[in-house]
Amino acid sequence: MTCIPLAVVGGAFCARETEQLLLREAFRENFLIGAALNDDVVSGKDPRAAAIVAKQFNTITAENAMKWVWIHPAPNTYDFGPADRFVEFGEKNAMWIVGHALVWHSQIPDWAFEDDAGGLLTRNAMLARLKDHIGSVVGRYKGRVRAWDVVNEALTDEGGIRNSKWKQTIGEDFIAKAFEYAHQADPDAELYYNDFSLDKPAKREACVNLVKDLKARGLRVDGVGIQGHWGMDYPTTDNLEAFIIATGALGVKVMVTEMDLDILPTAWEYEGADVSKRVALQVGLNPYVDGLPPVMEKKLTDRYVELFSVLCKHSDKVDRVTFWGVYDKTSWLNNWPVRGRTSYPLLFARDYQPKPAFYAVLGAVEKKK
Ligand code: GLA
């Protein structure tokens, strides 16, 4: 029998055991565990990835299918095909289905904010368009998509409201309006605010105030998602814990919604996940084309253990951990912030096999029990 020794877990897993090792079973008493899925996974083009999802996870998020630019590409034109496939896949596999994302400044066409002459819409016209969009998308999946990332990335790292076209057309209460319309479209759906870098104190405080404000307006808000596009040294465990504690104290669910760990050299002095930022490919930025050296594999594994130990410690507050993708080959981090790199951010390798980090996070939860 092949055994995989893992110093970091303090033990070894053998082949017969690994067949039984399931993330969704291991974390059953802690939190939901899932992945964001692309269309190849749900349409049958990537059956091995689909098999991993069906076996290992109990919640799924739409990686792209429900973003405005794809689901509502032109005025009065919706393309529900990929989103329908995603929801059907989730139902077939009895998953907790999360829709992502109704309101975001990115991956939305310019026309969405414009009148026929190309000028910015008035507040009232934009509110009507927002209500129509949310009503159409949330309404279509009423009772099937169990939860929505209603607003994504509305805060700046400094703690203000991002000066997006949402803010420019509607004003800062576009956030409240989105929650109001989503609740009208499906009163039973859970509604979340989602953002990156919420571990940073100024942004954390702004997020706490935002949730308080939404609640003070009498709106339904069920949870806050920290995206979790993290690196080897950010966030600090102290900042992550502070975020979990501050958000949990609001009485809402805390979630890591887009987890992946970047071990490639940083392209610039920026921590976060602003998809508009890109850097040109240079040789030094793509050092592991032929595989991760053992020392780096261990570094990645240890970092996964460190973060999962924090999440398990606070599993009374943490409701869900979702990875942004299923396996390394199709992660967005192969193309962001530098196109064409070979990236290693997830628990399953390019050949679909579980990585040492997979066994190690299972070890982290076992230790807690
Ligand atoms: C952000 C968004 C996601 C996704 C990732 C990168 O985190 O919320 O929808 O686009 O960036 O792929």
Side-chain angles (χ1 to χ4, degrees):
M1 199 186 305
T2 335
C3 289
I4 303 161
L6 281 166
V8 69
V9 191
F13 292 104
C14 297
R16 197 173 299 148
E17 291 170 37
T18 62
E19 283 166 26
Q20 309 306 324
L21 291 174
L22 298 178
L23 294 167
R24 62 181 161 79
E25 290 300 333
F27 291 100
R28 185 167 296 282
E29 287 165 28
N30 298 85
F31 33 71
L32 294 171
I33 189 130
L37 307 187
N38 62 33
D39 194 47
D40 284 356
V41 177
V42 300
S43 67
K45 285 193 195 134
D46 194 348
R48 295 182 72 184
I52 291 175
V53 176
K55 195 171 162 191
Q56 294 288 343
F57 298 122
N58 49 24
T59 174
I60 56 172
T61 301
E63 184 172 356
N64 284 306
M66 291 170 161
K67 291 173 178 171
W68 191 307
V69 70
W70 300 112
I71 205 166
H72 192 175
N76 304 315
T77 306
Y78 285 89
D79 178 4
F80 290 117
D84 285 356
R85 283 195 284 279
F86 163 78
V87 174
E88 280 156 22
F89 179 93
E91 288 180 328
K92 198 174 118 210
N93 292 289
M95 302 274 168
W96 174 261
I97 302 173
V98 181
H100 170 89
L102 296 171
V103 169
W104 189 24
H105 63 276
S106 195
Q107 296 191 253
I108 178 167
D110 288 342
W111 68 258
F113 300 101
E114 294 170 357
D115 58 24
D116 292 343
L120 279 189
L121 287 177
T122 63
R123 170 180 164 86
N124 282 344
M126 193 66 216
L127 283 173
R129 189 164 283 176
L130 174 62
K131 189 170 186 184
D132 168 72
H133 176 83
I134 290 180
S136 302
V137 176
V138 175
R140 183 176 181 89
Y141 302 110
K142 186 175 176 187
R144 302 173 69 199
V145 170
R146 309 294 299 279
W148 286 94
D149 290 337
V150 179
V151 177
N152 194 29
E153 303 181 354
L155 298 171
T156 65
D157 287 2
E158 295 73 35
I161 304 279
R162 183 190 294 273
N163 189 25
S164 64
K165 286 190 183 163
W166 288 111
K167 179 171 153 182
Q168 290 165 29
T169 50
I170 295 176
E172 293 194 351
D173 67 341
F174 76 87
I175 304 172
K177 287 293 180 187
F179 276 83
E180 181 186 323
Y181 298 155
H183 184 55
Q184 283 169 10
D186 185 352
D188 294 328
E190 294 196 359
L191 305 180
Y192 307 142
Y193 178 72
N194 194 54
D195 212 328
F196 58 84
S197 297
L198 293 176
D199 53 286
K200 297 193 170 178
K203 202 162 182 179
R204 177 182 78 221
E205 198 184 319
C207 181
V208 165
N209 289 335
L210 173 64
V211 172
K212 285 184 179 164
D213 176 68
L214 293 172
K215 287 186 164 228
R217 291 170 190 256
L219 294 167
R220 174 169 186 165
V221 50
D222 297 277
V224 170
I226 187 170
Q227 290 181 357
H229 298 297
W230 289 328
M232 293 303 107
D233 49 15
Y234 67 90
T236 65
T237 51
D238 283 353
N239 277 356
L240 177 59
E241 285 202 84
F243 161 74
I244 295 171
I245 290 165
T247 308
L250 299 167
V252 297
K253 295 177 173 179
V254 185
M255 293 159 291
V256 182
T257 52
E258 307 183 16
M259 189 171 189
D260 47 28
L261 299 188
D262 193 358
I263 197 163
L264 298 183
T266 34
W268 74 88
E269 293 299 310
Y270 172 76
E271 299 168 5
D274 186 333
V275 289
S276 66
K277 295 186 187 287
R278 285 197 181 277
V279 175
L281 180 60
Q282 301 156 25
V283 177
L285 292 178
N286 191 23
Y288 312 124
V289 179
D290 298 323
L292 267 190
V295 64
M296 299 309 278
E297 185 86 60
K298 181 167 187 321
K299 189 172 173 183
L300 178 77
T301 301
D302 289 351
R303 180 67 170 147
Y304 256 114
V305 170
E306 181 175 56
L307 292 165
F308 264 86
S309 300
V310 173
L311 299 174
C312 288
K313 176 175 167 193
H314 293 286
S315 58
D316 56 325
K317 302 173 199 67
V318 177
D319 180 69
R320 171 167 63 93
V321 177
T322 296
F323 296 94
W324 202 247
V326 179
Y327 67 124
D328 286 346
K329 191 176 170 191
T330 53
S331 164
W332 74 300
L333 288 173
N334 294 302
N335 290 302
W336 185 92
V338 185
R339 276 193 201 281
R341 294 203 292 181
T342 307
S343 170
Y344 299 85
L346 298 166
L347 297 188
F348 294 88
R350 295 190 136 57
D351 61 359
Y352 300 95
Q353 296 309 309
K355 292 161 55 172
F358 167 86
Y359 300 105
V361 299
L362 290 172
V365 69
E366 285 308 319
K367 265 188 195 158
K368 200 215 156 204
K369 282 179 185 163

